Amino acid sequence: SQFDQEELRQSLHTSSSSSSSSSSSSSSGTKKRIWKQGEYPGISETSIPGTRRNPPIKNARKKLDRRNKAKAWACTVTEALSDHINNKHWLQALQVFDMLREQHFYQPKEGTYIKQLVLLGRSGQPHHASQLFQTMVEEGLEPTSELYTALLSAYCRNNLIDEAFSILNKMKTLPNCQPDVFTYGTLIKACIDASQFKLVESLYKEMDEREISPNTVTQNIVLSGYGRAGKFDLTEKVLSWMLESTSCKPDIWTMNIILGVFGNKGQIDMMERWYEKFRNFGIGPETRTFNILIGAYGKKRMYNKMSSVMEYMRKLQFPWTTSTYNNVIEAFADVGDAKHMECTFDQMRAEDMKPDTKTFCCLIHGYANAGLFHKVISSVQLAGKFKIPENTSFYNAVISACAKAEDLMEMERVFNRMKDKQCLPNSTMYSVIVEAFRKECMNDKIYYLEQEKQELETRANFPGNDEDYESSSLDE
């Protein structure tokens, strides 16, 4: 990575400068002696010409081979560590790092620890992140603001807000580890995700006291959180502040967030009004912006406006993407319009646009709404042919279709297959299955299902149970 290359350049520069300085100092320290007349330096074995002993070539080659092997081993271990981090294999990364620390050439580096702390946080391993941080301190590496922020982020990503605040309070007591805008931004996002809006206000106040101005990224996170919670008065307050600010201007992400907030709530008038405001402010739309508009119009069955946006995209030479087609397919799927849904999917394939998991979720949902359950099966088979990833959303769509068709045997078969593939069910799936069992008065199955759900939630909340398997990374 770019960070590793920069570290390598710095280490090479340091080693070359130190070697040149040592050679110059040795040459200056050993002065050439000028013998006076009548003096003689004496005779030694090495002073007689022809008697100087050079080391055997064989031994020199052995030393060179050992040195090259050591360098190759160092490169192999560090490359393996980097690969596991990039591939989000947190357990293997820790194992390789333990091997690396045992080598004589190992030197603790801040960048290596930051990468691993971030990976552990994203992989749902905050307790391992805490242990790694303690190992770093024991090795004598001085903690920095960036390292503490990485640890705080690991807690935030796993909803451990109290632990994250304890890290913040500790940072404030350390002169060289003072929290910055990224520290506060990370904590604000965690509070927004947990709907702890009072804590958000207290963090804003603390930032103001420390003369730390929030950046556009932080404000966009707050806007999104307020919008999802339906706090439109606070949303407009933050947005108005950004429009008047000289250091925290809104950007295209701000525009997309606001349009998405009002579009998802079905407030089309507000969405269109803010679209014009952003355009007048000088922010131009992008493909994602148009996809948001298409999705919002589709949910309200405003097909004429949906088509107008798509034509406008063509006119401005914005490409139709997989998300564009997904939004159109979803609009027809919600009302069970299988004919137009299939027409859109055929056009998508004709333009060599690759469908994804959401595409097939929408198709399955649409066929179920239309009562075409044989086409649900063919869609599942087609998804397998295209090697579409079968995640929780995919299984949700299939199980919901089975429940709608009152095919409980197939529903249970799909549910068991999902668990066999280590794909964890969510609360939505449990609700669908429980409701299907309730209609048939299968109280014993409901009981066992609720016990299973409770056990799963307990395992998810207890940090010690996920040490022996790798947790998938969270979506960005």
Side-chain angles (χ1 to χ4, degrees):
S1 66
Q2 184 179 1
F3 189 91
D4 291 331
Q5 291 173 0
E6 182 63 27
E7 280 194 329
L8 182 60
R9 283 197 295 269
Q10 289 178 359
S11 61
L12 288 174
H13 175 73
T14 304
S15 61
S16 61
S17 61
S18 61
S19 62
S20 61
S21 61
S22 62
S23 62
S24 61
S25 62
S26 61
S27 61
S28 61
T30 308
K31 296 181 180 180
K32 185 177 181 181
R33 183 172 179 180
I34 302 175
W35 299 100
K36 296 179 182 180
Q37 188 176 4
E39 291 184 343
Y40 194 72
I43 298 175
S44 66
E45 188 179 356
T46 58
S47 65
I48 301 174
T51 60
R52 186 177 181 85
R53 290 186 179 177
N54 293 322
I57 295 177
K58 190 175 182 180
N59 292 341
R61 283 178 179 171
K62 284 184 178 179
K63 288 182 180 179
L64 187 61
D65 289 341
R66 283 198 298 269
R67 191 177 302 152
N68 289 336
K69 285 180 180 179
K71 288 181 180 178
W73 170 248
C75 292
T76 302
V77 177
T78 53
E79 286 174 3
L81 177 61
S82 179
D83 288 342
H84 287 312
I85 291 174
N86 292 335
N87 293 324
K88 301 179 176 62
H89 299 156
W90 66 268
L91 186 58
Q92 287 91 329
L94 286 179
Q95 291 170 346
V96 172
F97 186 59
D98 286 339
M99 291 171 56
L100 179 62
R101 290 174 54 234
E102 294 174 357
Q103 307 308 313
H104 67 276
F105 54 78
Y106 169 73
Q107 290 293 331
K109 294 181 180 179
E110 179 181 351
T112 306
Y113 275 101
I114 288 177
K115 288 179 182 178
Q116 290 189 95
L117 289 170
V118 171
L119 171 62
L120 291 169
R122 288 177 175 174
S123 302
Q125 304 295 324
H127 59 294
H128 279 304
S130 178
Q131 291 172 1
L132 185 67
F133 191 89
Q134 186 60 37
T135 299
M136 178 202 72
V137 173
E138 291 171 358
E139 286 184 343
L141 189 64
E142 193 70 24
T144 63
S145 175
E146 290 78 10
L147 284 163
Y148 269 114
T149 300
L151 178 60
L152 180 142
S153 176
Y155 287 134
C156 288
R157 282 182 176 273
N158 294 277
N159 302 319
L160 300 174
I161 297 179
D162 291 340
E163 287 82 351
F165 267 97
S166 68
I167 295 295
L168 176 68
N169 293 331
K170 186 171 184 178
M171 290 177 71
K172 288 187 288 188
T173 64
L174 302 173
N176 297 326
C177 298
Q178 291 297 297
D180 55 17
V181 64
F182 301 106
T183 311
Y184 282 104
T186 303
L187 198 47
I188 285 173
K189 183 182 186 305
C191 294
I192 285 289
D193 292 340
S195 300
Q196 298 281 351
F197 299 112
K198 289 184 178 180
L199 291 177
V200 173
E201 294 300 322
S202 68
L203 288 170
Y204 267 138
K205 183 179 179 182
E206 190 172 303
M207 289 176 70
D208 186 54
E209 292 172 353
R210 290 175 163 265
E211 298 182 352
I212 299 175
S213 179
N215 56 23
T216 303
V217 175
T218 303
Q219 297 295 64
N220 286 344
I221 291 169
V222 173
L223 284 173
S224 179
Y226 283 158
R228 289 198 307 268
K231 297 180 177 294
F232 299 121
D233 53 338
L234 292 175
T235 301
E236 295 205 45
K237 178 182 176 182
V238 173
L239 191 53
S240 299
W241 180 87
M242 291 179 71
L243 291 170
E244 297 172 0
S245 173
T246 56
S247 60
C248 187
K249 294 288 185 183
D251 56 12
I252 184 61
W253 290 93
T254 315
M255 180 180 186
N256 290 340
I257 287 170
I258 294 300
L259 297 183
V261 163
F262 290 117
N264 289 332
K265 296 292 183 180
Q267 299 188 19
I268 302 299
D269 292 338
M270 288 289 289
M271 182 185 74
E272 292 176 340
R273 183 164 68 87
W274 275 107
Y275 176 82
E276 293 300 327
K277 277 190 176 184
F278 282 114
R279 296 292 288 116
N280 294 334
F281 191 73
I283 300 176
E286 60 175 8
T287 302
R288 188 192 300 265
T289 312
F290 291 122
N291 287 340
I292 292 171
L293 296 175
I294 290 169
Y297 288 137
K299 287 174 182 173
K300 298 296 288 186
R301 305 182 189 180
M302 303 172 72
Y303 302 128
N304 290 333
K305 287 194 172 186
M306 186 174 70
S307 299
S308 298
V309 174
M310 296 180 73
E311 291 172 6
Y312 189 55
M313 289 178 71
R314 293 286 201 200
K315 182 180 178 181
L316 296 181
Q317 296 183 338
F318 279 94
W320 290 358
T321 63
T322 300
S323 295
T324 309
Y325 282 105
N326 284 348
N327 286 335
V328 178
I329 292 172
E330 187 176 23
F332 294 129
D334 287 342
V335 295
D337 189 346
K339 179 181 177 181
H340 286 95
M341 183 180 70
E342 288 177 343
C343 182
T344 305
F345 181 63
D346 291 340
Q347 183 180 349
M348 179 184 188
R349 294 181 64 186
E351 294 192 11
D352 292 328
M353 194 66 61
K354 187 178 180 181
D356 59 11
T357 304
K358 184 179 177 181
T359 311
F360 281 94
C361 287
C362 294
L363 290 173
I364 292 167
H365 178 62
Y367 286 133
N369 286 340
L372 302 173
F373 299 108
H374 64 285
K375 290 198 172 184
V376 170
I377 297 173
S378 62
S379 295
V380 173
Q381 293 171 344
L382 186 61
K385 183 180 177 181
F386 285 169
K387 297 182 179 179
I388 299 297
E390 297 179 349
N391 56 16
T392 303
S393 298
F394 181 84
Y395 284 109
N396 269 345
V398 178
I399 286 175
S400 296
C402 293
K404 190 163 288 189
E406 298 180 353
D407 189 346
L408 302 191
M409 186 177 296
E410 181 66 16
M411 182 184 72
E412 288 188 85
R413 190 186 70 80
V414 173
F415 185 58
N416 290 328
R417 179 189 172 188
M418 171 187 173
K419 290 187 291 185
D420 290 341
K421 289 197 171 187
Q422 303 298 316
C423 187
L424 297 178
N426 57 14
S427 58
T428 301
M429 184 176 297
Y430 279 114
S431 299
V432 170
I433 298 175
V434 166
E435 184 60 29
F437 286 151
R438 184 171 285 117
K439 287 181 180 179
E440 299 297 325
C441 298
M442 297 180 173
N443 296 326
D444 54 338
K445 290 197 173 185
I446 293 174
Y447 172 79
Y448 287 118
L449 200 66
E450 289 177 344
Q451 292 293 315
E452 179 184 312
K453 179 184 176 184
Q454 187 176 2
E455 181 183 350
L456 189 68
E457 289 174 348
T458 303
R459 285 174 55 194
N461 292 328
F462 186 69
N465 284 318
D466 46 5
E467 292 183 5
D468 298 325
Y469 66 92
E470 290 200 43
S471 175
S472 59
S473 62
L474 300 176
D475 292 334
E476 290 296 327

